[in-house]
Amino acid sequence: MLKYPLTSALFVVAVGACLGAVAQIYFGNNLFERFGSFTVAFAIVVFGTVTNLLQSRAQGSYIMDDDGEPPEPFKTNTVKRALNWQGFALIIGTLQWGFGGLLWEYFHG
């Protein structure tokens, strides 16, 4: 997830939107917007996993007194990108959750 932050964020958004669209088409009952909550939950799980990796890395370098440059997945720019893209996935999922019914009606009449 840290190596491919954009891919993992887009995967979270795509899974939530696609499953929501399929559920809305087959079952109706405003399921597109309700699948936005699953998108948010999935993004939080991914976000929590990234945070856990960062925390364990920080604790490991504190214990070992390792002040050198961290390995590639834990470099500062990579970590910032990963957290920013996961925040993006949370925002999109929240918008799907809150305004999914309006968006569905706008695009599908």
Side-chain angles (χ1 to χ4, degrees):
M1 284 174 261
L2 282 177
K3 281 187 170 184
Y4 308 106
L6 175 61
T7 307
S8 62
L10 291 178
F11 177 74
V12 167
V13 170
V15 165
C18 290
L19 288 178
V22 168
Q24 177 73 27
I25 290 169
Y26 286 112
F27 302 111
N29 201 19
N30 295 331
L31 286 177
F32 179 73
E33 66 187 55
R34 292 182 180 164
F35 265 85
S37 63
F38 288 117
T39 305
V40 170
F42 191 45
I44 288 174
V45 168
V46 171
F47 189 74
T49 303
V50 170
T51 305
N52 188 25
L53 287 170
L54 296 176
Q55 182 181 11
S56 63
R57 169 67 184 155
Q59 287 175 347
S61 48
Y62 178 75
I63 291 171
M64 302 300 284
D65 284 335
D66 183 18
D67 292 333
E69 184 70 24
E72 177 52 44
F74 297 102
K75 291 191 184 227
T76 307
N77 290 336
T78 307
V79 169
K80 284 181 184 177
R81 277 196 322 262
L83 295 178
N84 287 338
W85 282 113
Q86 293 309 317
F88 168 76
L90 283 170
I91 289 169
I92 296 298
T94 303
L95 289 174
Q96 179 185 354
W97 190 359
F99 300 104
L102 296 174
L103 291 172
W104 187 265
E105 289 298 319
Y106 179 76
F107 288 111
H108 293 92

